[in-house]
Structures are given as structure tokens and as C-alpha cells.
Amino acid sequence: MRRALALTPLALLILAGCSDTTPGQAVPADRTGQPAPRSTSANQVPGPGVPKVPNPIDITRFKQNPCESLTSAQVVDLLGDEARITPDPNGPGGPGCGWFSQAKIAVVFPNVDKLGLTSVYRAKGGAYPFFMPLAPVEGYPVVAYGTEDVRARLGECNVALGTSDRETLDVSITQSPAHKGEKDPCDSARDVADKVLGNLRGGR
């Protein structure tokens, strides 16, 4: 049975940005929108309360070709055979790709800092009032996050899966109007992250 999902267009633009410190000098901003920490302790990962990624996986090939993070067959299964592809290899939050039909999916490989899930956890209750750890995917920790919980109202959710202590793959979905509410969109986003992880590992 075809599962129709959807996503706000590259919703992880909220990860983007540079913060000026002095004229002519910019430093990368972390996910809170603040300059990335410079001290050794502030850059230590994983941070307090952040799950460690026990088996780091190399995501370089999908960072270079983000639209290959889902196979054609997977896109058809998720969105139907008329989904439009929108590559965004130089996105401000990191290389990404969007797939759009009545539902939408975006996969982004954030490069705004090198703090991985620690960056997301630090934004809990601040930039991300909505914060909900999910069941790991084959041992890789996953958390849903956002500026608000719009699951019921819009059928949307963003999740980050830790591929190492310093990197994540992020998935955003928006369910189609016809399927909104049939399944928690965060679970749907986690399912997509599972597919991307499987593709990264060469499992399918």
C-alpha cells in the first residue's frame, strides 16, 4: 500500500545562517542561531544528556549527492510516481533534496556546525520548544524537534538522526491532506530516516 507523506520545503532552513562578530568576519551559527562555541568544553560531543552514536557512519557520498539518499523506488512508494525532485546541494543549512507531490519530503545533511545531536539538544526549550526523542533506528539515536508542534494541525515533523557524534541526517515531512492524521508524522519522518540510513549502509 502506498504511503503518502509530505514535508515543508527544506524545512531545515532554520538551521542556516552566519552571525557577524566583527566587520568583515563571520562565524558559523549553530542551530540556536548563536555563534558556534569556541571553547573545548563547549565543543565536546556528545554533550550532557545527548545519546552517543556508537557506530559512526560516513555520510560523505550523500552530502555530495543528496538526491541519491532515497532510491527512485522508495520515492514512488512514499509519494507516487509523479513526485517532483528539487535538489539543493548548496542549501544554507547544508546539502539537501526535496521530493514533492501532494505530500513532501526533504532530506538535509546539516553543516552549520560539527556538534551533531548535541546542537539539537542544546536548543531544547529554546529555539526548539517542541522536542521529542524517538526510538533509535538500528542503534542510531533520533529526535523530533521544531519551533512548535504542528503534527495535528499541519501533519508536519522534522527529525534528526545522529550518524556520528558530530553529524546528523535530518528529515522533514508533511503528510498529504488525504493522509494527514493517519499516522504520527514524526513516526513517518523516522521511517524515512530509516530508509536513508539503510541506503547509506548499502542495505537497500
Side-chain angles (χ1 to χ4, degrees):
M1 180 177 65
R2 180 178 299 161
R3 290 179 297 166
L5 304 177
L7 155 310
T8 44
L10 271 49
L12 297 167
L13 293 180
I14 55 178
L15 305 182
C18 284
S19 299
D20 294 331
T21 53
T22 58
Q25 178 183 9
V27 297
D30 66 14
R31 298 185 197 222
T32 66
Q34 301 301 315
R38 297 179 184 276
S39 71
T40 301
S41 59
N43 284 314
Q44 185 175 352
V45 295
V50 182
K52 184 172 180 60
V53 179
N55 298 300
I57 188 168
D58 185 2
I59 61 175
T60 302
R61 69 186 182 100
F62 284 174
K63 290 173 72 174
Q64 295 172 342
N65 299 286
C67 289
E68 294 182 4
S69 57
L70 289 173
T71 68
S72 297
Q74 288 169 339
V75 173
V76 170
D77 181 52
L78 293 166
L79 298 174
D81 55 11
E82 296 183 357
R84 305 184 311 279
I85 301 177
T86 304
D88 193 14
N90 300 307
C97 189
W99 295 265
F100 305 91
S101 64
Q102 293 297 311
K104 302 160 196 163
I105 297 170
V107 176
V108 177
F109 298 90
N111 59 8
V112 296
D113 58 38
K114 297 295 287 183
L115 299 176
L117 286 178
T118 296
S119 183
V120 183
Y121 272 69
R122 283 180 178 169
K124 176 183 178 181
Y128 301 147
F130 173 61
F131 183 92
M132 182 175 67
L134 303 174
V137 173
E138 297 188 24
Y140 291 86
V142 185
V143 63
Y145 66 92
T147 56
E148 60 179 314
D149 184 353
V150 293
R151 289 176 294 170
R153 181 164 58 90
L154 300 177
E156 297 177 1
C157 187
N158 308 317
V159 304
L161 179 148
T163 54
S164 72
D165 288 339
R166 294 199 175 275
E167 293 188 295
T168 67
L169 71 86
D170 289 38
V171 174
S172 298
I173 70 102
T174 301
Q175 297 168 324
S176 67
H179 292 267
K180 187 174 72 172
E182 290 183 356
K183 182 177 181 178
D184 188 318
C186 292
D187 289 338
S188 296
R190 179 186 174 279
D191 289 347
V192 174
D194 185 6
K195 293 180 186 296
V196 176
L197 180 66
N199 294 338
L200 274 167
R201 302 173 76 185
R204 46 185 177 268

